[in-house]
Amino acid sequence: MLIDGHNDLAWAMRQQYACDLDLVDLTCRVPGLHTDLQRLAAGEVGGQFWSVYVSPELYSGPAAVMATLEQIDFIHRLVARYPERLVLATTADEVVASGSRIASLLGMEGGHCIDESLPVLRVMRTLGVRYMTLTHNKNVPWADAATDEPVLRGLSEFGVDVVREMNRLGMMVDLSHVSPDVMRHALRVSAAPVIFSHSSARALCDHPRNVPDDVLETLADNDGVCMVTFLPAFVSPEVRQWNKDLADTAQQRGVVKGDPDYRRLVHDLSTASPCPTATLDQVVDHIEHVREVAGIDHVGIGGDYMGAEDMPSGLEDVSGYPRLFAALVDRGWSCSDRTKLAGENAIRVLRASEDVATATL
């Protein structure tokens, strides 16, 4: 069974269709989306963690909680709209028992979604959320993000409480987006295996969102899993540098992303020097690196479709997973190793989080 750790369809539907399922037929190929039911079937996806992300730039405090609840509601409605294709899954056993339907799990992206409230965290778990990414791109008061200026150099006392409460609830701790210091601190604190729902290897692409080798080594001791993402800026050093140059130029000119001036800047830079294209082989390089450093039991897939406009050549949308696994066959991966990567590792960690929760009751 292929289980993907992160897909931003819900956010794309919010932006493009106001979460109105009457406006689009997801059983057909939908232009402008990387994901629809037709292409999920072609990609042989058996389980999907749907991100119930809301932007911390747009939503904070109680508004972030409300918007997250709306995203959770969307996934519940999505599953109800297509009961022959999708089934809600809240446990490892339900994922395994999903049969021909895609097991649909919920992942909450960013600690801003709970507004510093453990009761809100508990409610989110009751509604089916199985992981929370501790931060998004900006710091929260209790944890530093990878792409923000460090403040705490780890977790605050409340941040430690969040991790421990997630363990108690059987909610997986997701360390994608957090700073390396938070990664290391959370790994020391967590009684359950952690995940990286959509991150790649920093040794191959020096992006702050990627995972350093020492953390991958500790992840093996924790029995967690790093679900390798396909985002071009995280897998291709050339794309990473192009985006960094764009960000530096924008900062020098005082242009903010989203403004018309920013779009003109992107157009001008793309015309003068087109952004490089990431490749399927580069994604495979990251998967192999995580296997080499952390071990075969600690690598998975977290494509992050809809997280960027363009995806790597050969992995343009969710129908591309068979090409990825064919490339692994060409590189000599055994059937057993491919099975672990595809979903066995993710199910093990999901079940382990349930076992830790049961033990703490």
Side-chain angles (χ1 to χ4, degrees):
M1 174 185 285
L2 173 61
I3 299 174
D4 182 275
H6 195 90
N7 186 299
D8 275 314
L9 175 66
W11 182 248
M13 288 291 294
R14 186 183 185 93
Q15 290 185 304
Q16 298 181 35
Y17 298 101
C19 289
D20 188 342
L21 286 165
D22 290 332
L23 297 179
V24 60
D25 181 3
L26 289 172
T27 64
C28 303
R29 187 181 183 93
V30 181
L33 298 179
H34 298 145
T35 305
D36 51 54
L37 295 176
Q38 183 182 103
R39 283 179 284 181
L40 284 167
E44 302 177 12
V45 176
Q48 180 66 67
F49 280 93
W50 300 108
S51 174
V52 291
Y53 163 78
V54 299
S55 169
E57 285 79 17
L58 300 178
Y59 301 98
S60 62
V65 176
M66 179 180 292
T68 302
L69 291 171
E70 291 170 350
Q71 296 299 90
I72 292 172
D73 171 72
F74 170 77
I75 295 299
H76 281 268
R77 289 189 292 110
L78 174 69
V79 172
R81 173 62 66 98
Y82 302 107
E84 296 181 354
R85 306 284 192 95
L86 304 172
V87 59
L88 192 67
T90 60
T91 68
D93 285 344
E94 288 174 353
V95 173
V96 173
S98 61
S100 62
R101 294 182 291 178
I102 298 171
S104 295
L105 304 106
L106 303 180
M108 189 162 56
E109 190 174 16
H112 62 292
C113 297
I114 64 168
D115 192 25
E116 298 185 71
S117 169
L118 294 182
V120 169
L121 178 70
R122 290 189 282 270
V123 169
M124 298 301 189
R125 176 65 183 91
T126 300
L127 294 174
V129 174
R130 284 310 312 265
Y131 74 66
M132 181 174 73
T133 321
L134 299 188
T135 72
H136 190 250
N137 287 337
K138 297 293 183 182
N139 297 342
V140 294
W142 45 272
D144 291 340
T147 48
D148 203 350
E149 291 297 321
V151 175
L152 299 168
R153 305 288 177 179
L155 295 165
S156 72
E157 184 176 343
F158 179 75
V160 170
D161 290 342
V162 169
V163 170
R164 288 176 174 161
E165 184 66 359
M166 291 176 71
N167 289 164
R168 191 187 71 81
L169 295 170
M171 186 183 290
M172 294 184 296
V173 176
D174 178 19
L175 301 181
S176 288
H177 279 288
V178 305
S179 72
D181 285 337
V182 172
M183 295 176 192
R184 297 176 185 116
H185 196 171
L187 280 161
R188 292 195 302 270
V189 170
S190 182
V194 306
I195 66 168
F196 290 85
S197 67
H198 58 305
S199 295
S200 292
R202 188 141 187 190
L204 299 189
C205 183
D206 189 19
H207 194 292
R209 271 277 284 102
N210 285 340
V211 189
D213 277 1
D214 72 285
V215 175
L216 289 173
E217 291 169 357
T218 306
L219 182 69
D221 296 333
N222 167 264
D223 204 28
V225 60
C226 177
M227 307 177 86
V228 172
T229 190
F230 304 167
L231 289 186
F234 299 168
V235 299
S236 165
E238 297 80 12
V239 176
R240 158 65 177 157
Q241 187 60 52
W242 193 93
N243 279 274
K244 187 175 184 301
D245 292 343
L246 169 62
D248 291 345
T249 303
Q251 184 177 32
Q252 292 167 7
R253 298 185 185 181
V255 177
V256 179
K257 189 173 183 179
D259 290 347
D261 286 344
Y262 184 87
R263 290 193 290 271
R264 282 192 289 271
L265 174 61
V266 172
H267 176 268
D268 292 345
L269 292 180
S270 299
T271 301
S273 177
C275 182
T277 301
T279 67
L280 183 153
D281 281 339
Q282 287 176 315
V283 173
V284 174
D285 289 343
H286 282 264
I287 291 171
E288 293 203 311
H289 185 85
V290 174
R291 181 180 67 164
E292 179 181 345
V293 177
I296 185 56
D297 294 324
H298 310 290
V299 59
I301 300 295
D304 199 7
Y305 282 104
M306 303 310 307
E309 290 185 11
D310 298 314
M311 298 297 275
S313 173
L315 294 170
E316 291 86 356
D317 57 46
V318 293
S319 68
Y321 294 107
R323 289 190 290 274
L324 175 68
F325 281 85
L328 293 170
V329 171
D330 290 342
R331 294 203 190 188
W333 278 54
S334 68
C335 179
S336 173
D337 283 2
R338 298 196 309 274
T339 300
K340 289 182 176 183
L341 169 73
E344 196 172 272
N345 291 338
I347 291 174
R348 184 196 72 246
V349 173
L350 187 65
R351 181 166 280 121
S353 70
E354 296 165 10
D355 292 342
V356 168
T358 301
T360 57
L361 291 177

